[in-house]
Amino acid sequence: MHAPTAAGTRVVVRDVRRVYSNGVVALDGVNLEVAPGEFVALLGPSGCGKSTLLRLVAGLDGPQGGTVKVGEERQRGATLDYRTAGGTGVAFVFQDAHLLPWRTVLKNAALPLELSGVERSRRLEAARAALEQVGLSDALGRYPNQLSGGMRMRVSLARALVTDPRLLLLDEPFAALDEITRHRLDEQLLDIWRRRGMTVLFVTHSISEAVFLAQRAVVLSRRPGRVVLDHRIDLPVERTGALRMSTEFEREAQALYETLRREEPL
Amino acid sequence: MSDSPVRRHGAAFLPPALVFVIAVTLAEVLIRVLQVPQYLLPPPSAILQTLRREGSELWGAAMETGWAALVGFLMSAAGGVLAAIVLSSAAWVQRAFYPYAVFFQTVPVIAIAPLLVVWLGYGPPTVVASAFIVSVFPVVANTLAGLLSTDPALRDLFRLYGATWPATLLKLRLPFALPAVLTGLRIAAGLAVIGAIVGEFIAGGGLGGVIDVSLTQQRVDKVFAGVLLASVLGLTLFLAINLISRLVLRRWHASEQV
């Protein structure tokens, strides 16, 4: 009853400090360790630096203090160069789909492989497989503006999965979708995670989404953000829609709610 | 029924055509009734007659101007996009060089056209240069704005996957800027024709030359015929850009989706 861990990578964040160019301290003294193959939800009041932390882990920004370690790659104060760290296999899903509007669904999903120089027929095949996993097999030739918001987000997810990442970072990916679509995508994501076993860091502001998806929920404090709660979610790995109505689910949500309410100003 | 092509195009062309017919008729009637002398303002029918009688001379001149404007425009398109790419490469490059790009916008081409004659002589090179100078800035400004407005999330994505600078330019930034580039080209098309004619005022030849000479001969009808042909040239270039824009963008950009 546990997820496979071989395909995931370890993330170690030590004493990380991040200051924006305007002098605002976004993160200070953040410590976080994520085991290979673990699914961790990152919660916190708005503006607490959840997304900032995710960007540091992705190597898109560098910390002003402390270290971020992904897999065997070590970095200190500098952005990670993914051209040399191709094996690290980090993928990032943004809050909105951010697709290339001039490309079809298939070519959007194949983009990461195209950029890393994978030969055409192989990358299109991988893109087809990734799109099938998110249930978009019959939309390959369509353009983003012909898709619904939920479908666009699925393409974005397929684009992240196409490189077979060992670490999947998601920044409030389904926040803009309606609840039904969001639940469906949550379930799809869980299913993919169980089958592939990559490490997942999922930023959300929804307590129920965090409880439903994650094995562990980490709550950040108000700015400057630091970890105030590291809570193991005591629910079975196999999760279905019915779980959302159960008392165990309610109990876990309540625990997170108390902490979050203390952190939210007013 | 309502979106059949015939009806759609009919709806698009009918109003301007109607305005044209009414305006021309009104001008014809007014000029005749008020007995405005020919050397001040010829009626549309007289201009039409001139176009027919001296058609081959005017047509030849229009072709000459058209070629010069086209070459100047193509130079603007290529040079403008290239300059914008260079300017967008770094903030300090932009700060250092952009003011000089603005120079092209503010320079009175009519004032430096005589200089162009000194440098390039009487003839097509001066006319082409004049067309280029007038039309290059809108291309630079619009392309630059387009290149600088690339979706930051997508830039991050390209960075995450180790995209090279040329790959990011070709697969992300230029396609993203394309609608803005085409806006710049649309403006440049009209300006290139104006620039060519201004050049011809000084350097001679083409419609500019015809207009200039006709003025000294008090042939106002011929001046108008030349002006008419010049605007037809600008319009043709403009429509060509519109067509290209439609073909390139119709799949994905809101501006080309009816």
Side-chain angles (χ1 to χ4, degrees):
Chain A
M1 279 302 284
H2 63 89
T5 54
T9 190
R10 178 180 300 278
V11 177
V12 182
V13 175
R14 280 267 167 273
D15 286 325
V16 153
R17 179 182 163 84
R18 168 84 182 148
V19 185
Y20 294 145
S21 54
N22 60 8
V24 172
V25 181
L27 300 170
D28 200 7
V30 172
N31 286 292
L32 177 67
E33 190 162 345
V34 182
E38 203 174 13
F39 196 129
V40 174
L42 213 53
L43 286 149
S46 28
C48 73
K50 303 176 295 251
S51 302
T52 307
L53 181 56
L54 209 62
R55 290 178 62 85
L56 290 177
V57 174
L60 288 170
D61 297 318
Q64 269 81 28
T67 55
V68 176
K69 221 171 85 174
V70 175
E72 300 312 306
E73 218 65 36
R74 197 189 192 95
Q75 55 166 333
R76 185 187 288 271
T79 29
L80 210 140
D81 188 355
Y82 280 82
R83 259 158 293 185
T84 57
T88 313
V90 179
F92 202 106
V93 177
F94 300 94
Q95 187 166 352
D96 299 303
H98 293 288
L99 304 174
L100 300 180
W102 54 88
R103 284 184 174 228
T104 60
V105 165
L106 181 65
K107 291 206 165 154
N108 260 295
L111 177 74
L113 295 176
E114 183 178 332
L115 293 177
S116 45
V118 173
E119 171 236 339
R120 188 184 155 85
S121 64
R122 267 186 53 214
R123 68 178 185 244
L124 290 185
E125 193 184 327
R128 251 183 230 108
L131 286 163
E132 197 188 327
Q133 268 198 327
V134 298
L136 277 180
S137 284
D138 46 3
L140 301 183
R142 293 180 48 199
Y143 286 84
N145 62 15
Q146 303 169 310
L147 305 177
S148 68
M151 286 168 94
R152 278 202 283 266
M153 213 56 232
R154 281 198 183 110
V155 180
S156 190
L157 194 56
R159 179 177 66 189
L161 293 172
V162 79
T163 54
D164 222 340
R166 297 179 61 207
L167 173 62
L168 182 58
L169 305 169
L170 304 104
D171 188 3
E172 298 190 25
F174 312 138
L177 304 176
D178 67 90
E179 205 169 348
I180 302 293
T181 310
R182 181 165 162 184
H183 284 181
R184 201 169 295 150
L185 280 168
D186 282 346
E187 282 158 37
Q188 223 159 25
L189 177 64
L190 260 187
D191 189 49
I192 289 163
W193 169 69
R194 273 196 296 264
R195 266 185 289 157
R196 294 194 170 201
M198 69 284 209
T199 308
V200 180
L201 248 176
F202 191 102
V203 168
T204 178
H205 57 234
S206 158
I207 294 172
S208 64
E209 191 173 38
V211 174
F212 183 74
L213 287 172
Q215 297 179 299
R216 221 175 111 199
V218 172
V219 180
L220 291 188
S221 69
R222 252 173 308 182
R223 207 153 57 199
R226 54 194 307 148
V227 177
V228 286
L229 180 73
D230 194 335
H231 179 75
R232 179 150 297 279
I233 290 169
D234 195 12
L235 292 172
V237 174
E238 293 293 332
R239 297 177 193 183
T240 58
L243 185 71
R244 293 179 197 277
M245 306 298 165
S246 70
T247 49
E248 298 96 302
F249 191 88
E250 199 54 45
R251 184 196 63 220
E252 296 293 339
Q254 194 63 35
L256 293 178
Y257 180 75
E258 295 298 334
T259 313
L260 269 170
R261 207 178 49 173
R262 271 199 304 275
E263 288 307 323
E264 203 72 62
L266 290 179
Chain B
M1 232 352 243
S2 63
D3 60 349
S4 85
V6 176
R7 277 188 76 146
R8 233 177 42 210
H9 285 108
F13 284 116
L14 202 61
L18 214 61
V19 169
F20 180 79
V21 170
I22 292 171
V24 168
T25 314
L26 208 63
E28 184 77 34
V29 171
L30 276 178
I31 290 166
R32 284 183 187 280
V33 169
L34 301 174
Q35 294 184 315
V36 181
Q38 279 264 346
Y39 61 84
L40 281 184
L41 194 59
S45 59
I47 298 167
L48 198 71
Q49 226 165 41
T50 309
L51 270 174
R52 215 163 13 193
R53 213 174 39 233
E54 294 168 70
S56 64
E57 185 203 340
L58 283 164
W59 179 248
M63 288 304 282
E64 203 182 321
T65 304
W67 271 114
L70 187 66
V71 174
F73 168 77
L74 291 177
M75 281 168 62
S76 281
V81 170
L82 222 60
I85 289 171
V86 173
L87 286 172
S88 74
S89 64
W92 72 266
V93 177
Q94 201 190 326
R95 270 199 302 275
F97 290 101
Y98 196 66
Y100 301 99
V102 180
F103 170 78
F104 278 98
Q105 167 84 325
T106 53
V107 64
V109 74
I110 192 81
I112 63 156
L115 258 181
L116 292 177
V117 173
V118 173
W119 293 330
L120 302 169
Y122 289 94
T126 295
V127 179
V128 168
S130 169
F132 167 78
I133 288 170
V134 176
S135 62
V136 73
F137 183 75
V139 182
V140 177
N142 280 283
T143 307
L144 187 62
L147 287 173
L148 294 179
S149 65
T150 316
D151 181 354
L154 280 168
R155 253 200 316 245
D156 283 341
L157 192 84
F158 271 63
R159 208 148 62 84
L160 194 64
Y161 291 117
T164 57
W165 189 84
T168 309
L169 181 69
L170 291 175
K171 290 175 184 185
L172 177 65
R173 296 174 59 223
L174 272 181
F176 220 94
L178 205 54
V181 176
L182 286 162
T183 300
L185 293 182
R186 246 181 230 125
I187 300 169
L191 289 177
V193 175
I194 295 173
I197 286 174
V198 169
E200 286 166 348
F201 277 162
I202 313 292
L207 286 176
V210 168
I211 292 169
D212 193 35
V213 171
S214 305
L215 263 176
T216 59
Q217 297 169 341
Q218 296 198 336
R219 289 283 313 277
V220 182
D221 56 322
K222 208 168 168 183
V223 171
F224 269 97
V227 170
L228 199 66
L229 284 176
S231 52
V232 167
L233 279 179
L235 199 65
T236 309
L237 211 49
F238 178 84
L239 288 176
I241 309 287
N242 266 2
L243 185 69
I244 292 170
S245 161
R246 184 151 189 88
L247 290 176
V248 177
L249 299 183
R250 70 174 160 189
R251 283 281 176 72
W252 61 275
H253 202 262
S255 70
E256 293 293 353
Q257 278 160 354
V258 197

